[in-house]
Amino acid sequence: MNNYEDRPWGRFYILSDDDKTKVKKLIVNPGQRLSLQSHKFRDEHWIVISGMATVTLNDEVKNFNYGEHIFVPKGTRHRISCTGLEPVEIIEVQTGSNFAEEDIVRYEDDYQRN
């Protein structure tokens, strides 16, 4: 997989990208987490494929393990954290009308991104 982007929390690979769907593989390093964010134009479907993901959906925090699925409707504040000793890997399927970074509304970010 060559089409990847490094982030302060880990890395993601773009597996597929078309007008209606974008598919990524996210790798979140131990002790790291994505920003608490929401989207206006897309839903996200996450499947944990390795490790344990600590997921925030609005005010609820829950752990998810291998094979479990999380649905994140547009407008939901959400975050993935890796609280275990191994990286967490997630397949993310985005569905909607806008997959650009500009569709990210950040509420909290450990890395001071807007």
Side-chain angles (χ1 to χ4, degrees):
M1 289 185 268
N2 295 329
N3 197 6
Y4 69 88
E5 291 188 31
D6 287 319
R7 291 289 189 259
W9 45 262
R11 167 181 286 183
F12 71 81
Y13 296 87
I14 298 173
L15 305 177
S16 176
D17 189 2
D18 61 41
D19 291 343
K20 295 182 180 181
T21 308
K22 187 173 201 172
V23 181
K24 294 180 177 180
K25 179 180 180 181
L26 309 175
I27 301 171
V28 184
N29 293 326
Q32 303 300 310
R33 62 185 184 172
L34 283 70
S35 59
L36 181 64
Q37 59 186 259
S38 68
H39 307 290
K40 296 179 185 177
F41 301 104
R42 67 178 180 251
D43 298 321
E44 294 180 341
H45 306 260
W46 300 336
I47 301 170
V48 179
I49 60 170
S50 180
M52 182 184 70
T54 301
V55 173
T56 302
L57 295 175
N58 290 321
D59 296 324
E60 185 178 345
V61 179
K62 185 176 175 185
N63 292 327
F64 291 87
N65 294 296
Y66 173 78
E68 294 187 292
H69 174 268
I70 304 102
F71 175 60
V72 184
K74 60 184 142 224
T76 301
R77 291 181 186 214
H78 60 279
R79 167 183 276 162
I80 299 169
S81 302
C82 180
T83 55
L85 299 176
E86 298 178 15
V88 64
E89 296 184 18
I90 291 179
I91 299 297
E92 175 183 270
V93 179
Q94 301 174 3
T95 55
S97 60
N98 185 339
F99 308 122
E101 290 291 306
E102 295 78 32
D103 186 38
I104 298 175
V105 177
R106 286 192 174 93
Y107 304 98
E108 294 176 11
D109 186 69
D110 294 347
Y111 316 104
Q112 287 73 51
R113 296 172 296 171
N114 293 330

